[in-house]
Amino acid sequence: WGQHRRAKVTMGRKHRKRLNQPPKGTDPVIGWGHYTYESEKFERYYQQQGIVPEGEWDSFISCLRTSLPLSFRIAATSKFASSTRDSMRNDWCPFITSLELNGTPLPSPESLPWYPNQLGWQLSLSRNDLRKIPMLKAFHLWLMHETEIGTITRQETVSMLPPMFLDV
């Protein structure tokens, strides 16, 4: 009983502010530390496996350190699939293409050519980029809403293959 009671006390109104603050040393925008794409143990392990020729190691490790693009698929079984695709194609693509960040145009979302009916999409920005670029807040909110209602599924492009072949 004593432990339970103490837990209730620490969850009270006084401590709420402290719980909602990100830990020290983290990015206040996203609430966690910066990603580090380096691991000495990881690199040593894969070098010892000998699966990557020594002359290609630097390009291999550079590729692994690249952030994955943002990608999602529109659920073909949703009654809103065609309107969601049309919204992406006619509203969001022109909007995102018209934006610039530090004088550089943002990459345009692209329909995946191998995914049926233009229901697979990819944007050459990472998920963290999407969260950090204020101009994309409306698009980010739209993606979150469509994900919540089940119209789209956010996933890596390669992970779209099994549902496509299984017709799910």
Side-chain angles (χ1 to χ4, degrees):
W1 166 253
Q3 289 177 346
H4 177 67
R5 185 175 177 154
R6 271 185 259 142
K8 285 179 84 174
V9 170
T10 60
M11 295 303 290
R13 190 180 309 175
K14 291 180 187 178
H15 300 281
R16 193 168 296 147
K17 278 187 183 178
R18 194 176 334 138
L19 292 173
N20 290 332
Q21 293 176 353
K24 291 181 181 177
T26 61
D27 187 335
V29 176
I30 57 176
W32 56 77
H34 298 284
Y35 287 117
T36 178
Y37 294 107
E38 297 179 14
S39 170
E40 188 178 317
K41 290 180 182 179
F42 176 87
E43 291 182 33
R44 187 176 37 233
Y45 173 80
Y46 280 100
Q47 282 179 331
Q48 289 173 353
Q49 301 309 308
I51 57 173
V52 178
E54 215 168 295
E56 297 176 20
W57 179 257
D58 290 337
S59 62
F60 169 74
I61 210 73
S62 173
C63 183
L64 292 181
R65 289 181 179 148
T66 306
S67 296
L68 291 172
L70 172 73
S71 54
F72 61 91
R73 63 183 169 93
I74 300 169
T77 56
S78 169
K79 64 181 179 180
F80 303 110
S82 61
S83 63
T84 304
R85 178 196 55 220
D86 293 344
S87 177
M88 187 64 200
R89 188 174 38 202
N90 301 327
D91 300 329
W92 291 112
C93 285
F95 170 74
I96 293 170
T97 305
S98 71
L99 298 176
E100 289 186 0
L101 184 64
N102 300 327
T104 304
L106 290 179
S108 176
E110 296 179 6
S111 172
L112 299 170
W114 49 266
Y115 204 88
N117 302 319
Q118 290 187 319
L119 296 178
W121 290 84
Q122 183 170 294
L123 179 60
S124 296
L125 294 172
S126 72
R127 290 175 59 190
N128 288 334
D129 292 338
L130 180 65
R131 290 183 191 124
K132 288 184 176 185
I133 300 173
M135 298 171 290
L136 292 176
K137 184 172 180 134
F139 179 63
H140 185 218
L141 291 173
W142 179 79
L143 278 176
M144 290 188 321
H145 172 73
E146 296 297 321
T147 301
E148 287 174 14
I149 63 173
T151 308
I152 67 170
T153 301
R154 293 170 68 175
Q155 63 186 158
E156 292 179 31
T157 305
V158 70
S159 298
M160 294 181 193
L161 293 171
M164 185 177 75
F165 286 116
L166 294 172
D167 199 25
V168 177

